C-alpha cells in the first residue's frame, strides 16, 4: 500500500509538472500580448514615456515590498547588482521605451509588432555565433512562426503606407528589439537570486531609461482620465509584476531560444485582442497566420530540438 501511494504521488507530481510546463508559457504569452492594447488605451490621455516611467517605478516598489514582506535576504549586490540593473535597462527600458517611441514617430503598431517578432531570430543567431548549434527543427519552427506573424500583420502593414517607415522610427524599433534580445540572453546567465528582488532591481534600471526618455522626448501630458489609470493598473499588476516574473522564471529554467520563440505568438494574439476591444478587422489570412505562428512556436519548443554541443573548432 505504501509503495502504491508513493507511486501515485509521484505520478501526480509529474502530471502537475507537465501542466505547469504548458500553463506558464501560455499565461505569459496571453499577458505579454496585452502590452500594446494597454498602451492604446493610454495614448489619448498621457505621454507614453511618462506612462512607462510611472509604470516601471511603481513596479520596482511593489516587487521590493513583496520581497521584503516575504523576508527575502538574498538581494543582488556588487557586480551582480550592476548586471541586474543592466538586464533591466535592456529588457525593460530599451525595449519598451524605444518601441513606444517608434510608434509616436509614426510607425504603425502592426509594423512595430512584426519587427518585435524578429527577437527569436536574433536570439538564435546570437546563440549560433557563440558556438552552440541549433537543430533544423528549431530553425524551421522560428521561420514558420515568423511567416505566420507576417500573415497576421500583412493587412495592417499594407494599409499603413510608406510614411510609417521613417528612418528614425525603424532605427528605434530595431534598437528596441536588440535591447530585449540582449536583455533576455543576459537574464539567462545571471546568478540566481529571489525573483522578486531581481524584478525590483531590473524595473529600477528600466525606470532610469524611461526617465531619460521622458526628459529628452517626452511631452509630460497626463490628464488623469479613468482609462489612463486603468491602463496603468493593468500594466503594473498584470504585465509587469506577473508577466515579467513569468518571463524571468522561464529564462532561468528553460532554453533561451525556446523561451523567446514564444514572442512570435504575441503579435497574433494582440491582433485578436484589437479585434475584440477596438473592432479592428481580422481576416481569413490573419486567422491562417495565427495558426502558422502557433505551429511554429510548438515546433521550435518541442522536446529534444536543441543541440547543446559546441561547434567543433
Amino acid at each position: 500500500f505504501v509503495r502504491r501511494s508513493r507511486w501515485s504521488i509521484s505520478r501526480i507530481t509529474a502530471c502537475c509538472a507537465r501542466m505547469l510546463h504548458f500553463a506558464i508559457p501560455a499565461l505569459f504569452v496571453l499577458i505579454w500580448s496585452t502590452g500594446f492594447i494597454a498602451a492604446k488605451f493610454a495614448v489619448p490621455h498621457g505621454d507614453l514615456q511618462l506612462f512607462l516611467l510611472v509604470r516601471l517605478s511603481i513596479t520596482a516598489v511593489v516587487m521590493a515590498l513583496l520581497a521584503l514582506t516575504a523576508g527575502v535576504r538574498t538581494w543582488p549586490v556588487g557586480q551582480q547588482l550592476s548586471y541586474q540593473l543592466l538586464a533591466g535597462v535592456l529588457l525593460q527600458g530599451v525595449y519598451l521605451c524605444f518601441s513606444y517611441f517608434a510608434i509616436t514617430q509614426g510607425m504603425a503598431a502592426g509594423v512595430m509588432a512584426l519587427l518585435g517578432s524578429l527577437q527569436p531570430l536574433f536570439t538564435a543567431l546570437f546563440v549560433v555565433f557563440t558556438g552552440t548549434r541549433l537543430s533544423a527543427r528549431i530553425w524551421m519552427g522560428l521561420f514558420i512562426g515568423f511567416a505566420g506573424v507576417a500573415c497576421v500583420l500583412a493587412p495592417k502593414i499594407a494599409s499603413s503606407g510608406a510614411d510609417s517607415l521613417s528612418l528614425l522610427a525603424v532605427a528605434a524599433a530595431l534598437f528596441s528589439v536588440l535591447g530585449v534580445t540582449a536583455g533576455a540572453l543576459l537574464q539567462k546567465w545571471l546568478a540566481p537570486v529571489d525573483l522578486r528582488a531581481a524584478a525590483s532591481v531590473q524595473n529600477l534600471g528600466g525606470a532610469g531609461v524611461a526617465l531619460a526618455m521622458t526628459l529628452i522626448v517626452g511631452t509630460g501630458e497626463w490628464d488623469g482620465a479613468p482609462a489612463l489609470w486603468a491602463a496603468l493598473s493593468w500594466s503594473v499588476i498584470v504585465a509587469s509584476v506577473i508577466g515579467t516574473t513569468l518571463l524571468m522564471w522561464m529564462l532561468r529554467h528553460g532554453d533561451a531560444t525556446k523561451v523567446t520563440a514564444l514572442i512570435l505568438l504575441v503579435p497574433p494574439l494582440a491582433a485578436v485582442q484589437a479585434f475584440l476591444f477596438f473592432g479592428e478587422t481580422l481576416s481569413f489570412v490573419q486567422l491562417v497566420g495565427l495558426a502558422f505562428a502557433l505551429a511554429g512556436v510548438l515546433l521550435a519548443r518541442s522536446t529534444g530540438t536543441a543541440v547543446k554541443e559546441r561547434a567543433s573548432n
Side-chain angles (χ1 to χ4, degrees), residues 7-292:
W7 181 75
S8 300
I9 292 174
S10 64
R11 288 195 64 184
I12 293 174
T13 303
C15 181
C16 291
R18 286 194 295 269
M19 291 177 63
L20 286 175
H21 177 74
F22 291 101
I24 290 179
L27 181 60
F28 162 74
V29 170
L30 182 61
I31 289 174
W32 207 250
S33 65
T34 63
F36 282 119
I37 302 300
K40 192 164 184 176
F41 277 109
V43 164
H45 307 287
D47 172 48
L48 286 183
Q49 300 300 329
L50 180 59
F51 179 84
L52 287 174
L53 173 59
V54 176
R55 166 186 167 179
L56 295 173
S57 299
I58 294 177
T59 303
V61 173
V62 170
M63 298 305 292
L65 291 175
L66 290 175
L68 293 173
T69 302
V72 173
R73 298 181 179 179
T74 56
W75 287 76
V77 294
Q79 191 177 45
Q80 284 301 318
L81 177 60
S82 301
Y83 290 154
Q84 292 284 355
L85 286 171
L86 177 59
V89 166
L90 297 169
L91 196 60
Q92 301 289 342
V94 172
Y95 172 58
L96 292 174
C97 291
F98 282 85
S99 293
Y100 286 6
F101 176 72
I103 293 175
T104 58
Q105 291 300 305
M107 176 170 286
V111 178
M112 181 62 238
L114 178 58
L115 291 174
S117 65
L118 290 171
Q119 183 202 347
L121 296 181
F122 283 7
T123 302
L125 289 173
F126 180 86
V127 170
V128 169
F129 288 149
T130 59
T132 302
R133 298 172 56 189
L134 300 179
S135 69
R137 187 179 298 181
I138 286 183
W139 283 111
M140 186 179 299
L142 290 173
F143 281 109
I144 290 175
F146 184 72
V149 172
C151 290
V152 171
L153 300 175
K156 294 183 180 180
I157 296 173
S159 63
S160 64
D163 292 339
S164 65
L165 296 176
S166 67
L167 180 60
L168 181 60
V170 171
L174 291 177
F175 188 64
S176 75
V177 177
L178 289 174
V180 71
T181 302
L185 291 168
L186 177 60
Q187 178 70 49
K188 177 65 180 176
W189 302 111
L190 289 176
V193 295
D194 183 84
L195 282 175
R196 290 157 294 192
S200 177
V201 173
Q202 291 189 20
N203 275 276
L204 184 62
V209 179
L211 175 60
M213 292 292 288
T214 300
L215 294 175
I216 296 171
V217 299
T219 63
E221 180 185 357
W222 190 279
D223 65 8
L228 179 60
W229 290 111
L232 179 63
S233 300
W234 177 272
S235 297
V236 170
I237 298 172
V238 180
S240 288
V241 174
I242 299 177
T244 304
T245 301
L246 291 176
L247 176 61
M248 292 169 63
W249 185 89
M250 289 188 299
L251 286 170
R252 285 188 182 184
H253 296 86
D255 180 83
T257 304
K258 291 184 179 182
V259 172
T260 53
L262 291 168
I263 304 298
L264 290 172
L265 286 179
V266 170
L269 286 180
V272 173
Q273 292 166 18
F275 168 76
L276 295 175
F277 290 106
F278 301 105
E280 296 185 7
T281 58
L282 193 61
S283 64
F284 175 75
V285 173
Q286 291 174 304
L287 292 175
V288 172
L290 177 60
F292 268 95

